[in-house]
Structures are given as structure tokens and as C-alpha cells.
């Protein structure tokens, strides 16, 4: 899979030899945040066209995403980092990903300039798949009708994406964000085709957890709006592939103060030196919201109640009277399974019989309600 960063790495009119060497492509454009089942349907549509035409599948994405560029901290929380998005798109059959920096230069291109520079000159697109509500170019002047008109002039086909519906509702990144914010991790996983999780490398922090007998592995998070904030019963995949139960705090740690958001995970009944190691953390059930306590002793008491709640939740999962959890593993492609087993986005391999995904927050939540970020309806969201 080829990752192309920026317009400057695409051929221009002057690069005649390079342009002749490119076979053209079938392509789509969008945010693809989360790479959920709706995105998979689009990529399957592209793969079908790719097989028929013998052309590579190309996905055009933006970094930052347009709403992040325009709205800043008011933009919807992102579901996937760029690195994870690229890995997921590759697992779904993308042969080439063009990542365009969304900046003043790109947003100032007129719709026709975007088509000519990116689609015709740069990618030599032969077949384009986009939503029929797709807007692009300066002041969002370009639309599906313009693409079809230019396509007829320049001999490339344009068709709209197929809407993917689950439970009589369109699958979208907005819907996934809403489910996550409500604590419905099971339904969010159904829409994503895998459990929602985080992956990152453990860093040294202030080590306050060790002073109260609750050591944590700390993973820095982006300063962008967070899709989740609060305390969660979670499953953690260790570097050797073993999954263990834990409790994760996600957010800004208001009681002790922080200059950046952090994911702190405590492994239940296990203490391992994980500094510098890469972990995957999957929230399974929401225990409470993010809260600022009056003093540190109140926080410590609540942390121990959180540990008890998480242990109780996972004990119920192993109860012989409990109905076995539905598995999502059967929906994985061979490429996704290979990526997961090789240490990539391995939340997909989580044994859900041991670590069930809750469909609502656990009861007796007395913490202050958190406020999810605004929603988005961007194309291919």
C-alpha cells in the first residue's frame, strides 16, 4: 500500500513521463473517520470496480479533517488517529492513500481546480465514487453534478456511494460517537465492525498511582476533543498478546491537574513494568464521568470503588448463568485479522466472552454528566 502525503508528491502536467507510468485508478474522497461498516461498503464498491477495470483503489483523505480546520476545538471528536485510519483503510483493500493537508492553499482551490489538479492531473482517476451530497472546493461550490459534468468531458465515470443501513438507520461516524458518549459500546462495535479501542506507547508520568497502591500505565492522547471522557472497565492487550481486565481513566485528570489528556489504565490484580511498551485498551463499560474532587483523599476513595465496580462487572461476564456475548470476529476480513495478529489495530481480537461490551453505563453513576462534542455530517464521515 502506498501513502502519498501532499499535492506536491502528485505528478503535474510537466511530469509527462511520470503521468504515462501511472495506470489511473478508481477513487473515493472523504474523512473516513472510524472506518466503520458504511466505509467498508464504499471500499467494497471500489474493489468491485477495481477488479473489473484492473485499476488500483485510491482513497483521498484530509489531515486535519475539514471540520477540525474550520471549527478547531468545536469540531466533533475524532474516532481514529491518522495512523490508525491508514492501517484500517489498508486492511479494507486500499492500494493507495492520498493524504492532503487541509490548509489555506487547499481550501482556496476552486472546485474545477481541485478536479483538474487532484483527480485528473494527479491521480488520473477513471472512476470516482462519492456521496451525492459531497461538496468541495472554495466556498464548497463543487458538487456531485459538477463532478458528473466534468467526468463526461474528461472521460471518467462518477457514481454515488451506497448507503449502509443497520437497524433501519444509516451507519455514520456521528452515530458511532453518540453511542460511545452514551456508554453503548456493544452497538458502537456493531457499527464499527470491531470494538472501539485505543493503542499507544506507555510513558513515564508523575506516578501518583503508585503512592496509593494503584499503579497505572499512562498513554498520552491528542489534545483534540475526546470521543470518551471518564472512568471505564476495560480490557487491555499486553505486548505478549494476553488480554487482562483493568480500569481506565480517560481525560484531563481535573483533581490533580494536567497539561494534556491521558489514558491511564490500571491492570486488575496484575503489576507489570510496561514503560515503553505498546498497549491496546478497549473500554467495555462506563463506570462514571470525569469528576473534580475537593481533595485527593476523596479521589482515592472513589478510585477503589471504581476498582470494585470493574471487578464485579467482569465477574458477571464469567457467570455460568450469563448468556455468552455475541462475537464480532466473524465480520473481520482476512487482511484485518492479519493486521490484528501482527500487532496492528488488535482490538478486533479481544475475547468478548471474557470482556463483554456494555450497552449502557453501569448503574449508580453519581458523577457529573459529561458533554459530548458536537456532531458531524461530513461526507464519508
Amino acid at each position: 500500500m502506498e501513502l502519498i502525503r501532499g499535492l506536491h508528491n502528485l505528478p503535474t502536467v510537466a511530469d509527462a513521463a511520470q503521468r504515462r507510468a501511472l495506470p489511473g485508478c478508481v477513487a473515493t474522497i472523504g474523512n473516513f473517520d472510524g472506518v466503520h461498516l458504511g466505509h467498508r461498503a464504499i471500499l467494497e464498491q471500489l474493489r468491485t470496480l477495481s477488479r473489473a477495470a484492473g485499476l488500483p483503489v485510491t482513497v483521498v483523505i484530509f489531515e486535519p479533517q475539514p471540520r477540525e480546520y474550520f471549527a478547531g476545538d468545536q469540531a466533533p471528536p475524532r474516532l481514529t488517529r491518522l495512523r490508525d485510519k491508514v492501517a484500517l483503510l489498508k486492511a479494507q483493500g486500499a492500494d493507495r492513500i492520498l493524504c492532503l493537508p487541509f490548509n489555506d492553499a487547499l481550501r482556496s482551490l476552486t472546485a474545477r481546480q481541485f478536479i483538474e489538479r487532484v483527480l485528473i492531473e494527479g491521480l488520473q482517476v477513471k472512476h470516482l465514487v462519492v456521496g451525492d451530497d459531497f461538496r468541495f472546493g472554495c466556498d464548497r461550490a463543487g458538487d456531485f453534478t459538477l463532478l458528473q459534468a466534468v467526468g463526461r468531458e474528461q472521460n471518467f465515470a462518477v457514481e454515488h456511494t451506497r448507503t449502509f443501513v443497520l437497524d433501519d438507520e444509516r451507519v455514520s461516524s456521528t452515530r458511532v460517537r453518540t453511542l460511545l458518549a452514551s456508554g453503548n459500546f456493544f452497538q458502537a462495535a456493531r457499527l464499527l465492525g470491531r470494538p472501539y479501542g485505543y493503542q499507544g506507547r506507555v510513558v513515564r508520568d508523575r506516578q501518583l498511582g503508585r503512592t496509593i497502591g494503584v499503579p497505572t500505565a499512562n498513554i498520552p492522547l491528542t489534545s483534540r476533543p475526546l470521543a470518551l471522557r471518564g472512568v471505564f472497565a476495560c480490557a487491555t492487550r499486553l505486548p505478549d498478546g494476553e488480554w487482562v481486565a483493568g480500569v481506565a481513566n480517560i481525560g484531563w485528570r481535573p483533581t490533580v491537574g494536567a497539561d494534556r489528556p491521558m489514558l491511564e489504565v490500571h491492570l486488575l490484580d496484575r503489576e507489570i513494568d510496561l514503560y515503553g511498551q505498546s498497549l491496546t485498551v478497549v473500554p467495555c463499560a462506563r463506570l462514571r464521568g470525569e469528576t473534580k474532587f475537593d481533595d485527593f483523599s476523596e479521589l482515592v476513595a472513589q478510585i477503589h470503588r471504581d476498582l470494585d465496580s470493574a471487578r464485579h462487572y467482569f465477574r458477571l461476564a464469567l457467570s455460568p448463568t450469563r448468556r455468552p456475548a455475541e462475537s464480532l470476529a466473524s465480520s473481520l476480513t482476512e487482511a484485518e485479522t492479519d493486521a490484528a495478529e501482527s500487532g496492528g489495530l488488535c482490538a478486533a481480537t479481544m475475547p468478548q466472552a471474557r470482556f463483554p461490551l456494555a450497552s449502557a453505563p453501569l448503574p449508580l453513576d453519581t458523577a457529573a454528566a459529561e458533554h459530548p462534542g458536537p456532531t458531524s455530517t461530513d461526507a464519508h464521515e
Side-chain angles (χ1 to χ4, degrees):
M1 197 277 296
E2 180 184 13
L3 175 62
I4 303 172
R5 299 293 293 263
L7 274 174
H8 62 283
N9 286 316
L10 288 176
T12 64
V13 172
D15 300 327
Q18 187 178 0
R19 283 167 53 80
R20 284 195 298 270
L22 290 175
C25 66
V26 298
T28 187
I29 308 171
N31 289 326
F32 289 91
D33 189 25
V35 193
H36 50 62
L37 294 185
H39 297 142
R40 290 192 193 188
I42 295 169
L43 290 161
E44 173 56 32
Q45 196 173 344
L46 283 175
R47 290 197 301 269
T48 300
L49 294 168
S50 170
R51 289 189 292 268
L55 295 173
V57 171
T58 298
V59 180
V60 181
I61 59 175
F62 306 96
E63 185 66 26
Q65 295 175 167
R67 283 287 295 275
E68 294 169 345
Y69 175 85
F70 289 111
D73 289 343
Q74 299 305 308
R78 188 182 287 208
L79 297 174
T80 41
R81 300 172 300 174
L82 176 62
R83 182 178 67 182
D84 297 336
K85 185 188 300 186
V86 167
L88 287 164
L89 289 171
K90 177 183 177 182
Q92 288 298 319
D95 300 304
R96 181 192 302 155
I97 297 173
L98 171 60
C99 181
L100 296 176
F102 199 91
N103 51 28
D104 285 341
L106 186 68
R107 71 177 290 262
S108 65
L109 292 178
T110 67
R112 280 192 173 268
Q113 285 173 331
F114 182 89
I115 294 172
E116 291 166 5
R117 178 67 188 95
V118 177
L119 300 180
I120 298 173
E121 186 179 321
L123 296 176
Q124 299 181 60
V125 66
K126 304 302 181 187
H127 205 120
L128 181 67
V129 177
V130 293
D132 55 14
D133 59 350
F134 178 59
R135 303 302 293 261
F136 64 100
C138 185
D139 297 326
R140 294 167 55 87
D143 58 13
F144 190 79
T145 301
L146 176 62
L147 284 168
Q148 286 185 311
V150 177
R152 287 190 292 269
E153 296 169 6
Q154 299 294 329
N155 197 32
F156 66 85
V158 180
E159 69 177 78
H160 62 77
T161 57
R162 302 167 189 160
T163 298
F164 190 89
V165 174
L166 188 64
D167 300 330
D168 298 322
E169 189 175 350
R170 174 177 170 264
V171 174
S172 69
S173 303
T174 297
R175 188 177 167 196
V176 174
R177 292 187 196 102
T178 300
L179 289 167
L180 291 175
S182 71
N184 194 337
F185 297 108
F186 179 76
Q187 288 295 341
R190 288 186 67 218
L191 269 59
L192 290 168
R194 65 186 187 283
Y196 180 78
Y198 298 83
Q199 191 170 37
R201 196 167 298 279
V202 178
V203 302
R204 289 189 181 276
D205 200 50
R206 287 179 287 182
Q207 299 182 309
L208 292 176
R210 292 186 178 278
T211 67
I212 60 172
V214 188
T216 59
N218 301 327
I219 299 172
L221 300 176
T222 175
S223 294
R224 292 190 178 101
L226 302 173
L228 290 176
R229 292 175 69 172
V231 180
F232 306 86
C234 68
T236 300
R237 186 183 190 269
L238 302 179
D240 64 1
E242 180 186 6
W243 286 90
V244 298
V247 178
N249 182 82
I250 302 172
W252 288 88
R253 301 174 292 179
T255 304
V256 300
D259 56 3
R260 61 181 177 181
M262 189 78 72
L263 186 157
E264 305 171 289
V265 58
H266 170 72
L267 306 181
L268 294 176
D269 308 314
R270 187 80 67 91
E271 188 167 350
I272 308 171
D273 183 359
L274 294 169
Y275 289 122
Q277 301 293 313
S278 181
L279 302 180
T280 295
V281 180
V282 176
C284 297
R286 184 179 185 273
L287 302 179
R288 60 179 175 87
E290 189 174 44
T291 306
K292 184 175 182 179
F293 294 90
D294 292 334
D295 58 58
F296 191 65
S297 63
E298 288 186 22
L299 171 61
V300 172
Q302 182 60 57
I303 287 173
H304 286 284
R305 288 194 290 270
D306 296 337
L307 301 184
D308 290 340
S309 296
R311 287 191 179 96
H312 177 68
Y313 178 73
F314 288 124
R315 276 198 300 270
L316 288 179
L318 300 176
S319 168
T321 60
R322 183 183 176 278
R323 183 174 61 85
E326 180 182 344
S327 174
L328 300 167
S330 60
S331 65
L332 298 178
T333 66
E334 183 177 348
E336 285 177 307
T337 302
D338 290 344
E341 295 299 340
S342 64
L345 293 167
C346 47
T349 66
M350 186 183 75
Q352 290 172 65
R354 290 173 51 208
F355 305 105
L357 301 173
S359 57
L362 297 193
L364 302 178
D365 184 345
T366 58
E370 64 188 55
H371 301 282
T375 59
S376 166
T377 55
D378 288 346
H380 289 14
E381 65 161 10

